[in-house]
């Protein structure tokens, strides 16, 4: 694992976008796994600034709420179009977001796995982290072998995401559909982005803590090519900073991260 500590959240988002842009440039037919959440908004904002061709890029989003229509501004379908897809030349048929209104959600989940396989697997999976350590919507106790499926959201998650639902956690759906931890671990490369002091404790557990299905993000420790991009605030609870290859207080020298492998 590589841990890159940036001076602030803007720099971390810019670096994550730069890595994504580099991967797209190197492989115009890349299959990207994409994430949502407030942390990612600035990543997509930065990514849109690069003169990139998305015509042959395929994407798979991590998760979606159950019972929310795609046309609803609170759906992740809507989020992805507003923050990225409407701004780039990606083809509709190359966009894959789970449908929380699918008539048979279990069938849709299985079909999602098949679609990922048909496209040869995910090259780079972008990840955020929930306050309870979820990746995607893999709440505590998600098996590390879990596949795309329906899940119940924890109270912590519903409270975390309440701002998008008028501040009332009761309005946040109780269920979601998410790629599994096992699905995520099969991506060829992982990049987890976490910023802000409210992520500090859970990020330290994800990176340094014992591997446990109670914190899905600890699964990233098992991945052979995983990079964590963070800022000084979110890195503040890490105890072994001297172990990391990069602990940056100043500006990122973008050219240098490429030579460092996990
Ligand atoms: C949601 C998403 C997760 C994401 C999390 C982080 O819960 N389902 O995939 O990791 O948001 O949210 P934020 O960036 O707003 O802290």
């Amino acid at each position: 694992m590589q841990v890159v500590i940036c001076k602030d959240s803007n720099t971390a988002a810019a670096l994550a976008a730069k890595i994504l842009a580099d991967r797209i440039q190197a492989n115009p037919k890349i299959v990207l796994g994409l994430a949502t959440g407030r942390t990612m908004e600035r990543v997509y904002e930065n990514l849109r600034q690069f003169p990139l061709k998305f015509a042959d890029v395929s994407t798979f989003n991590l998760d979606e709420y159950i019972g929310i229509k795609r046309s609803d501004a609170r759906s992740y379908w809507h989020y992805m179009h507003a923050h990225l897809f409407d701004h780039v030349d990606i083809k509709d048929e190359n966009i894959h977001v789970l449908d929380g209104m699918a008539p048979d959600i279990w069938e849709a989940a299985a079909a999602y796995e098949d679609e990922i396989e048909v496209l040869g697997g995910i090259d780079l999976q972008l990840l955020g982290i929930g306050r309870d350590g979820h990746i995607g919507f893999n709440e505590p106790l998600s098996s590390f072998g879990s596949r795309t499926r329906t899940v119940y959201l924890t109270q912590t998650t519903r409270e975390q995401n309440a701002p998008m639902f008028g501040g009332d956690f009761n309005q946040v759906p109780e269920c979601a559909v998410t790629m599994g931890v096992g699905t995520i671990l099969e991506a060829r490369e992982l990049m987890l982005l976490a910023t802000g002091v409210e992520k500090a404790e859970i990020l330290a557990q994800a990176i340094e803590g014992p591997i446990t299905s109670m914190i899905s993000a600890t699964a990233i420790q098992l991945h052979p090519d995983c990079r964590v991009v963070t800022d000084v605030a979110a890195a503040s609870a890490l105890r072994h900073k001297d172990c990391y290859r990069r602990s940056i207080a100043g500006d990122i020298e973008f050219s240098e991260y490429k030579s460092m492998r996990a």
Side-chain angles (χ1 to χ4, degrees):
M1 187 191 295
Q2 182 193 39
V3 179
V4 184
I5 304 170
C6 301
K7 64 173 181 174
D8 56 32
S9 60
N10 283 332
T11 314
L15 176 59
K18 175 78 172 103
I19 292 170
L20 281 166
D22 280 359
R23 296 293 185 275
I24 296 166
Q25 231 152 18
N27 176 12
K29 294 185 176 174
I30 194 167
V31 179
L32 291 176
L34 297 177
T36 49
R38 280 154 292 179
T39 315
M40 298 303 158
E41 291 178 11
R42 265 178 291 176
V43 176
Y44 299 133
E45 200 181 311
N46 278 282
L47 188 60
R48 290 180 336 228
Q49 312 307 320
F50 289 92
L52 291 165
K53 286 194 171 50
F54 278 78
D56 295 321
V57 172
S58 298
T59 63
F60 286 89
N61 263 80
L62 281 168
D63 47 19
E64 181 59 284
Y65 294 109
I66 289 182
I68 299 278
K69 287 186 191 146
R70 288 185 158 177
S71 55
D72 190 313
R74 301 166 301 181
S75 73
Y76 286 158
W77 170 271
H78 185 276
Y79 171 107
M80 285 310 304
H81 283 77
H83 292 287
L84 183 64
F85 299 152
D86 287 349
H87 305 269
V88 296
D89 65 340
I90 192 163
K91 291 183 186 135
D92 286 345
E93 61 266 33
N94 292 346
I95 295 171
H96 304 86
V97 182
L98 287 153
D99 183 358
M101 294 293 282
D104 186 336
I105 197 79
W106 295 278
E107 194 183 283
Y112 206 63
E113 292 276 339
D114 291 344
E115 284 174 304
I116 294 172
E117 203 181 317
V118 166
L119 287 183
I122 292 171
D123 292 303
L124 170 60
Q125 177 67 57
L126 184 61
L127 296 169
I129 184 170
R131 262 183 232 155
D132 63 3
H134 69 217
I135 47 175
F137 268 138
N138 289 287
E139 301 288 40
L141 281 177
S142 294
S143 159
F144 284 6
S146 55
R147 313 302 308 186
T148 303
R149 71 205 187 289
T150 57
V151 289
Y152 282 102
L153 299 178
T154 61
Q155 174 83 5
T156 307
T157 294
R158 293 176 75 208
E159 283 172 6
Q160 181 185 345
N161 292 353
M164 280 75 77
F165 290 82
D168 178 6
F169 80 84
N170 287 304
Q171 300 303 313
V172 180
E174 282 182 277
C175 296
V177 55
T178 181
M179 271 187 210
V181 179
T183 319
I184 292 168
L185 287 177
E186 280 174 14
R188 283 182 270 281
E189 181 182 358
L190 301 182
M191 176 164 61
L192 186 145
L193 176 66
T195 55
V197 71
E198 63 282 1
K199 297 285 173 71
E201 283 304 326
I202 198 67
L203 185 68
Q205 292 190 63
I207 295 172
E208 298 177 340
I211 292 173
T212 168
S213 65
M214 291 307 293
I215 301 175
S216 297
T218 61
I220 67 171
Q221 296 176 33
L222 297 169
H223 197 281
D225 191 359
C226 175
R227 177 174 291 107
V228 175
V229 177
T230 185
D231 64 355
V232 170
S236 57
L238 293 173
R239 283 167 302 162
H240 304 284
K241 291 204 188 69
D242 55 332
C243 296
Y244 310 133
R245 300 187 203 180
R246 208 88 171 114
S247 179
I248 301 165
D251 283 331
I252 291 279
E253 293 148 61
F254 287 124
S255 57
E256 284 184 30
Y257 79 82
K258 277 194 230 165
S259 59
M260 302 182 296
R261 301 302 292 170

